[in-house]
Amino acid sequence: MFSLDNVESIEELEAWQARLARALGRDPAGYVCEQKIDGLAVSITYADGRLVRAATRGDGRVGEDITANVRTIDAVPLRLLGDPPELIEVRGEIYMPVAAFEALNARQAELGEKPYVNPRNTAAGSVRQKDPAKTAERLLSIWLYQVGHVAGGPELRTQWESLEWLAGLGLRVNPASRRLDDPADIEAYVAATQEGRHSNDYEIDGVVVKLNDLAEQAAVGYT
């Protein structure tokens, strides 16, 4: 599982787009913008449509086995819908909804216990509980945003096709994601996301901008 490079200004974003154009020899075919969920990155594997493994991202290659705990999260299907592939590994972010976090801290106050600091750390700690029943009590949720390894599935050409396919399998895909052709629209998406960030029932800490064309992603590579 990859990490993300960060930019903190529109000028840095434009410099990244210029590097892409130089690497491709032309402007990219388009982009997908997604909200960056402030949670715990996970990898979930389904074999013949059945959930068989879930792990934290760890160091990108080896993570903690959290299968038993993830099975208790209602938003994570134990079986995929439609015509699932022989094997698929999907990547996403487990998070604690803001309303669930506030209710949890209200219970802590009633019990005279110390409040939890923030939804992200609480979600991460909940997923790593030794007792899956404790995880189930935390009302966690998930957004899926990427297809990792797949065997026996359709030929996916774009990130947007990937998101639509994941949704068709019954996996939760964030409806705030957008496919954009004009780089100027990315700036507008970032501004709108910043303005409306506190209207979500989940916390975000940025926007993820991806090349839409998967062949272009492979051509420019990863850092």
Side-chain angles (χ1 to χ4, degrees):
M1 294 175 66
F2 300 109
S3 297
L4 296 171
D5 282 344
N6 296 323
V7 299
E8 298 183 2
S9 69
I10 294 301
E11 290 75 21
E12 288 181 280
L13 179 65
E14 291 172 343
W16 174 71
Q17 292 167 331
R19 291 197 300 274
L20 294 178
R22 288 196 299 270
L24 294 170
R26 54 173 171 76
D27 289 334
Y31 304 87
V32 171
C33 286
E34 304 165 7
Q35 294 179 346
K36 185 175 181 295
I37 310 302
D38 194 14
L40 178 72
V42 295
S43 163
I44 303 176
T45 301
Y46 291 84
D48 296 321
R50 184 173 58 87
L51 192 157
V52 294
R53 183 180 300 108
T56 63
R57 80 174 306 280
D59 64 3
R61 294 181 179 274
V62 178
E64 299 171 57
D65 187 331
I66 53 172
T67 307
N69 290 350
V70 168
R71 285 180 179 276
T72 71
I73 301 174
D74 289 342
V76 179
L78 300 181
R79 288 188 175 274
L80 298 178
L81 301 178
D83 184 21
E86 175 185 343
L87 186 72
I88 180 174
E89 180 242 338
V90 295
R91 298 165 187 181
E93 200 86 4
I94 290 176
Y95 67 94
M96 176 171 280
V98 173
F101 177 73
E102 292 174 347
L104 177 63
N105 268 347
R107 289 196 297 273
Q108 289 292 103
E110 291 174 0
L111 297 171
E113 301 287 345
K114 183 178 179 181
Y116 292 95
V117 176
N118 58 59
R120 183 192 186 283
N121 291 349
T122 308
S126 300
V127 168
R128 293 187 170 102
Q129 287 278 347
K130 294 186 181 299
D131 182 1
K134 293 289 186 181
T135 304
E137 293 175 357
R138 296 294 172 83
L139 303 178
L140 302 176
S141 195
I142 193 170
W143 295 117
L144 282 305
Y145 54 72
Q146 186 179 3
V147 176
H149 177 73
V150 62
E155 183 178 352
L156 299 169
R157 297 170 298 173
T158 67
Q159 169 67 6
W160 194 253
E161 285 180 358
S162 300
L163 294 178
E164 291 181 324
W165 184 52
L166 291 177
L169 293 174
L171 296 164
R172 291 190 84 230
V173 173
N174 194 326
S177 300
R178 295 288 183 271
R179 178 178 55 185
L180 303 173
D181 296 322
D182 188 338
D185 292 335
I186 298 175
E187 183 175 352
Y189 181 91
V190 171
T193 302
Q194 171 72 16
E195 182 178 351
R197 64 182 299 183
H198 297 299
S199 63
N200 301 319
D201 193 30
Y202 50 87
E203 293 198 335
I204 64 172
D205 57 354
V207 167
V208 182
V209 184
K210 301 177 181 177
L211 287 176
N212 187 33
D213 190 295
L214 299 181
E216 289 184 353
Q217 287 189 14
V220 300
Y222 302 88
T223 58

